Amino acid sequence: MIYRPVPARLPVTAGLGRFVVLTTVFVCAACGLVYELELVALASYLIGDSVTQASVVLSVMVFAMGIGSLLAKRLRRRAALGFAAVEAALALIGGLSAMALYACFAWFGQARPALVGFSLAIGVLIGAEVPLLMTLIQRIRRQDAGGAVADLFAADYVGALVGGLAFPFLLLPVLGQLTGALLTGGVNAVAGGALVLWLFRGDLSVRTRWALVAANGLVLTLLATCSALSGPFERAARHAVYGGDVRVAVQSGVQEVVLTGGGASGKPLSLFLDGRLRVNSDDEFRYHEALVHPAMHGPHGRILVLGGGDGLAVREMLRYGDVASVTVVEVDATVLRLARTDPDLVALNHAAYRDPRVRLVTGDAFEWLRSLPPGEASFDVIVSDLPDPGITPSTKLYSQEFYGLVERWLAPGGRLAVHAGTLGSRPRVFWTVDATIRSLGLYSRAYRVEGNGFPGGPDRVPARSGKDEDWSFLLAAREPLPLQLPPARPPLLSLDREGLTAAGRSAERSREAGLRPSTLMHPRYGE
């Protein structure tokens, strides 16, 4: 049986009524897209691999929107009440999604089931909106279906544009993940409730009106309460993830930066970036000695460090008195600031950034290399101290195009040292980095040292602390090069000539041949 909408009794003219409905469509679409982006962003931070998380969220939500559209057919006869109920539920679920997702990760160690569940629920509710709004707008003034759909989708798409731009440029930097989602839920509840309780109040009985007022009031109260408690919640969740000795926790424009331990706590100083252990003062010297000192065998007057904003690689370089200059290119100014000002981190890096030979640059390593003027002097040593290539945002920094830029600025006889992941758990990723470097005509030597695999691996280290892995490196140059330590080197705590030779043999035993290079257009680190 064909359903024919009954004309609504409106408190305003039909033209104004249509404008109010389309404005509500605009607001609800903006809120819906914020929920999607918030789930993608938080899942990428908590789980890693932003491409996979975006694919999961978007595909599940689009599928669920289809289900929601079908379910909404049953609500058309009471479209106003149905829309109000859908918006109240969407405001509550969408607004609380970030907090719930973070709680699942912090206290249960698993966020993926919650991610899929929230994506499904939010998608069903978003999918139910348009059929109900289509019914409501047709009740104001009948028009052909094509015209009504065009009006609704125009408002919907413009709202999505505003929500998509508001999330990264306003909500995330100003309010953060949790408060931004809660505020969005509040706006969603007000928009949906106001439309029905004012414009379509003639469709509702007195009891139904008061029930909707109470339901929306409860939703807004819950969202406001959670917003007021978001600070203590974040601290409690952070302590659940990192332990109770968190000293510094900053959400920079790039990532979350957390420092734990050090000082009077008696615990090792640890630096976490986006939840991944980057530095542990107990054994970081093993990583940084292995990364830096083999590359110092040969001329090393001018050095470039890509990443390594903690200053620990620079500390090792400055132990050579004949180093003339070190340029550090780090994307996160917050990390550089902490490396210059935090007493424990300054003590660990031996105040490396106070040395007049060191120049700091805040910027993306790829873009900085592209922007170097032709007359710039080349570098004797380039050290790539970047997060693991298994992390999606780092993929371009392990691409053929990136190493092509690096090779352009290597001086004759210069060496490139690369942290390339962990051979123990991800050998294919490591040897893909090697294949990518060799595809440019460079020669490379692989080596590995025992450690905790902490520098930016794709898994969050708090969940796997105590699990020994390895740190694996590549040393590359235009000509075949030996894997040796400099004859005139400072005393080292963990590395000697025999140990480095053994590290090279250990790495070569696991070599995988026939791998193809990774490029910007065909990244291969997820294969």
Side-chain angles (χ1 to χ4, degrees):
M1 185 172 65
I2 298 176
Y3 171 71
R4 300 186 183 281
V6 177
R9 296 169 293 168
L10 302 178
V12 295
T13 63
L16 181 57
R18 282 175 57 82
F19 175 78
V20 172
V21 171
L22 293 175
T23 301
T24 303
V25 174
F26 168 87
V27 173
C28 292
C31 294
L33 196 64
V34 169
Y35 299 143
E36 292 182 31
L37 295 175
E38 164 257 314
L39 285 176
V40 170
L42 191 56
S44 299
Y45 159 54
L46 297 178
I47 304 173
D49 189 358
S50 58
V51 171
T52 299
Q53 308 320 319
S55 300
V56 168
V57 171
L58 296 179
S59 58
V60 169
M61 289 190 81
V62 170
F63 165 74
M65 287 166 66
I67 297 175
S69 296
L70 292 174
L71 295 176
K73 292 169 65 176
R74 299 177 177 273
L75 302 175
R76 286 182 300 166
R77 294 187 180 278
R78 305 194 69 183
L81 178 59
F83 180 74
V86 164
E87 292 309 301
L90 182 58
L92 184 63
I93 295 173
L96 293 177
S97 59
M99 186 171 281
L101 202 63
Y102 196 15
C104 288
F105 178 81
W107 282 283
F108 301 105
Q110 183 58 262
R112 197 180 297 277
L115 174 69
V116 173
F118 276 104
S119 300
L120 189 64
I122 292 172
V124 167
L125 294 170
I126 291 176
E129 289 178 327
V130 172
L132 296 175
L133 287 165
M134 179 73 172
T135 301
L136 293 176
I137 203 168
Q138 288 284 58
R139 291 186 59 206
I140 295 174
R141 186 176 67 201
R142 292 296 301 275
Q143 67 180 115
D144 66 282
V149 168
D151 291 342
L152 282 174
F153 279 111
D156 186 80
Y157 294 152
V158 174
L161 170 67
V162 172
L165 295 176
F167 177 74
F169 296 115
L170 178 62
L171 295 177
L172 192 59
V174 175
L175 300 175
Q177 291 268 35
L178 302 187
T179 305
L182 292 166
L183 177 63
T184 302
V187 172
N188 203 161
V190 169
L195 175 70
V196 173
L197 290 170
W198 174 61
L199 192 62
F200 292 96
R201 63 178 181 267
D203 291 0
L204 309 174
S205 66
V206 174
R207 177 178 295 181
T208 303
R209 289 179 204 164
W210 282 110
L212 284 180
V213 169
N216 280 277
L218 179 61
V219 168
L220 291 172
T221 300
L222 287 173
L223 294 175
T225 301
C226 290
S227 182
L229 297 175
S230 62
F233 170 83
E234 281 194 74
R235 288 191 290 273
R238 193 176 288 123
H239 288 164
V241 173
Y242 300 109
D245 56 338
V246 176
R247 289 197 299 107
V248 177
V250 181
Q251 182 65 52
S252 72
V254 178
Q255 59 201 342
E256 184 185 53
V257 182
V258 174
L259 276 176
T260 67
S265 71
K267 296 182 179 180
L269 174 68
S270 296
L271 170 65
F272 295 87
L273 302 179
D274 266 354
R276 296 171 180 87
L277 185 61
R278 192 66 176 85
V279 169
N280 183 287
S281 60
D282 273 352
D283 58 0
E284 57 77 22
F285 59 90
R286 304 209 314 264
Y287 169 85
H288 291 100
E289 286 185 354
L291 173 67
V292 171
H293 291 281
M296 302 296 280
H297 182 72
H300 46 251
R302 280 177 54 82
I303 302 177
L304 172 63
V305 181
L306 304 173
D310 49 55
L312 299 174
V314 178
R315 174 198 67 198
E316 297 300 316
M317 297 164 184
L318 295 179
R319 298 175 68 189
Y320 293 84
D322 53 347
V323 168
S325 68
V326 179
T327 300
V328 180
V329 182
E330 165 63 48
V331 71
D332 196 341
T334 299
V335 174
L336 292 176
R337 178 177 58 80
L338 286 174
R340 292 195 307 264
T341 60
D342 182 81
D344 294 309
L345 194 51
V346 169
L348 192 61
N349 65 32
H350 296 178
Y353 290 159
R354 297 176 187 172
D355 193 296
R357 294 173 289 174
V358 178
R359 172 195 173 204
L360 301 181
V361 177
T362 303
D364 177 81
F366 194 106
E367 296 302 324
W368 185 82
L369 286 169
R370 288 184 67 185
S371 66
L372 281 177
E376 183 77 17
S378 53
F379 297 93
D380 299 307
V381 176
I382 299 180
V383 172
S384 179
D385 187 12
L386 297 164
D388 192 276
I391 303 172
T392 304
S394 297
T395 298
K396 75 172 184 178
L397 302 178
Y398 289 86
S399 66
Q400 189 181 63
E401 292 85 349
F402 178 72
Y403 291 123
L405 291 172
V406 171
E407 190 271 340
R408 184 188 304 173
W409 294 105
L410 267 181
R415 283 87 58 216
L416 165 65
V418 178
H419 158 243
T422 57
L423 263 172
S425 60
R426 292 177 292 277
R428 190 177 184 87
V429 169
F430 177 86
W431 292 116
T432 298
V433 179
D434 180 69
T436 303
I437 290 174
R438 288 178 173 240
S439 70
L440 296 163
L442 297 173
Y443 295 86
S444 65
R445 298 291 301 270
Y447 59 105
R448 62 191 293 187
V449 296
E450 293 304 313
N452 293 320
F454 60 72
D459 301 316
R460 294 176 62 95
V461 172
R464 52 174 246 231
S465 56
K467 178 182 178 183
D468 288 341
E469 289 193 358
D470 62 76
W471 295 307
S472 303
F473 308 92
L474 291 164
L475 183 64
R478 294 191 184 94
E479 304 292 337
L481 72 166
L483 187 59
Q484 295 180 1
L485 293 172
R489 61 182 180 274
L492 303 181
L493 297 174
S494 64
L495 197 62
D496 56 27
R497 183 177 305 171
E498 292 74 18
L500 183 58
T501 301
R505 290 172 181 165
S506 174
E508 286 297 331
R509 282 196 293 267
S510 67
R511 176 173 289 277
E512 295 188 23
L515 297 177
R516 291 177 291 178
S518 182
T519 68
L520 291 178
M521 291 297 98
H522 197 154
R524 302 186 186 276
Y525 296 112
E527 296 181 357

